[in-house]
Amino acid sequence: MQKKITTQQIHEQAKALGVDYAALRAVIEVECKSSGFNIDGTPVILYERHVFYRRLRAINWITKSNEWAKTYPDLCNPTAGGYGKFSEQHGKLERASKLNRDVALESCSWGLGQVMGYHWKSLGYPSLQNFINAMYKDEASQLDAMCRFIKVNGLVDELKRKDWKGFARGYNGPAYAKNSYDTKLAEAYKKWSK
């Protein structure tokens, strides 16, 4: 089975969204440099310890979140950061899954679009496991999740207008400028427009 996405599949998703191919390609490039999968076939993820902390608190595991923040600060922490190497991400997920599997899976950004797991329900997946299965299936499924996120969050118009600041704010949050997401998107768009 082919896990890599094709240019045709990206064109089809861009057309379905009503945006330029180069605009969608720019988002893919900025979010996930080269592939939605690691060499070992696992999806590219980023485990976010502060999301794990917040998600535990959201399900009223407040005592556990406080306890684990002290015991496992690399897995559970009120502060963002401490991501470590990309090669460590699945190990962190595995360790956090032993504490609370669903919350751990929801605390990662997944695949080509680096879509956070906790968005599974708003993106129309029947279950968290269904979302995870899609992330493991292929890059086309990962792109589908990214496009669902763009639609659900009302970012299609920003992408159509190439409003990179507006798109980056909606896609990456209010701290987008810290990582120059808008500038990177504009540069990637220029490259793919040629």
Side-chain angles (χ1 to χ4, degrees), residues 86-116:
F86 281 110
S87 60
E88 299 170 342
Q89 300 307 304
H90 277 275
K92 285 184 176 188
L93 172 58
E94 187 178 328
R95 289 173 50 225
S97 291
K98 292 176 183 170
L99 302 175
N100 185 308
R101 182 179 183 275
D102 286 355
V103 172
L105 292 168
E106 290 180 339
S107 300
C108 295
S109 56
W110 292 87
L112 284 180
Q114 288 296 285
V115 174
M116 291 299 301

Side-chain angles (χ1 to χ4, degrees), residues 5 17 19 25-26 30 35 39 56 65 79-80 85 92 104 110 115 129 141 158 161 182 188 191:
I5 197 160
L17 280 179
V19 302
R25 193 72 205 224
V30 171
S35 177
I39 294 169
L56 286 171
S65 68
T79 308
K85 298 175 186 173
K92 285 184 176 188
W110 292 87
V115 174
Q129 189 60 55
S141 299
E158 283 80 355
R161 292 192 314 268
D182 55 330
K191 180 178 101 177

Side-chain angles (χ1 to χ4, degrees), residues 23-39:
L24 189 57
R25 193 72 205 224
V27 178
I28 294 168
E29 179 177 313
V30 171
E31 288 301 320
C32 193
K33 300 290 179 234
S34 60
S35 177
F37 288 92
N38 297 306
I39 294 169

Side-chain angles (χ1 to χ4, degrees), residues 13-188:
Q13 283 283 13
K15 185 178 179 183
L17 280 179
V19 302
D20 290 349
Y21 166 82
L24 189 57
R25 193 72 205 224
V27 178
I28 294 168
E29 179 177 313
V30 171
E31 288 301 320
C32 193
K33 300 290 179 234
S34 60
S35 177
F37 288 92
N38 297 306
I39 294 169
D40 65 0
T42 58
V44 170
I45 63 168
L46 185 64
Y47 177 81
E48 305 211 26
R49 67 186 190 179
H50 66 290
V51 175
F52 188 75
Y53 178 84
R54 285 197 317 241
R55 302 293 298 166
L56 286 171
R57 296 176 83 75
I59 61 168
N60 289 318
W61 283 36
I62 295 167
T63 303
K64 285 291 184 193
S65 68
N66 291 333
E67 176 189 324
W68 291 339
K70 291 175 186 162
T71 311
Y72 311 107
D74 63 324
L75 301 180
C76 183
N77 203 303
T79 308
Y83 298 107
K85 298 175 186 173
F86 281 110
S87 60
E88 299 170 342
Q89 300 307 304
H90 277 275
K92 285 184 176 188
L93 172 58
E94 187 178 328
R95 289 173 50 225
S97 291
K98 292 176 183 170
L99 302 175
N100 185 308
R101 182 179 183 275
D102 286 355
V103 172
L105 292 168
E106 290 180 339
S107 300
C108 295
S109 56
W110 292 87
L112 284 180
Q114 288 296 285
V115 174
M116 291 299 301
Y118 66 81
H119 292 300
W120 67 267
K121 193 170 193 174
S122 69
L123 299 182
Y125 292 91
S127 68
L128 172 60
Q129 189 60 55
N130 188 270
F131 171 81
I132 299 303
N133 292 348
M135 297 305 96
Y136 271 87
K137 183 179 178 188
D138 55 30
E139 287 181 345
S141 299
Q142 294 175 358
L143 180 61
D144 178 62
M146 183 179 96
C147 292
R148 290 182 189 205
F149 183 84
I150 290 168
K151 284 190 270 189
V152 164
N153 288 285
L155 298 172
V156 174
D157 286 342
E158 283 80 355
L159 206 50
K160 281 182 184 177
R161 292 192 314 268
K162 284 60 158 196
D163 173 4
W164 303 120
K165 285 183 192 282
F167 182 84
R169 184 181 304 110
Y171 198 92
N172 299 104
Y176 73 92
K178 179 179 160 190
N179 293 310
S180 305
Y181 280 118
D182 55 330
T183 307
K184 290 175 185 173
L185 285 164
E187 290 169 3

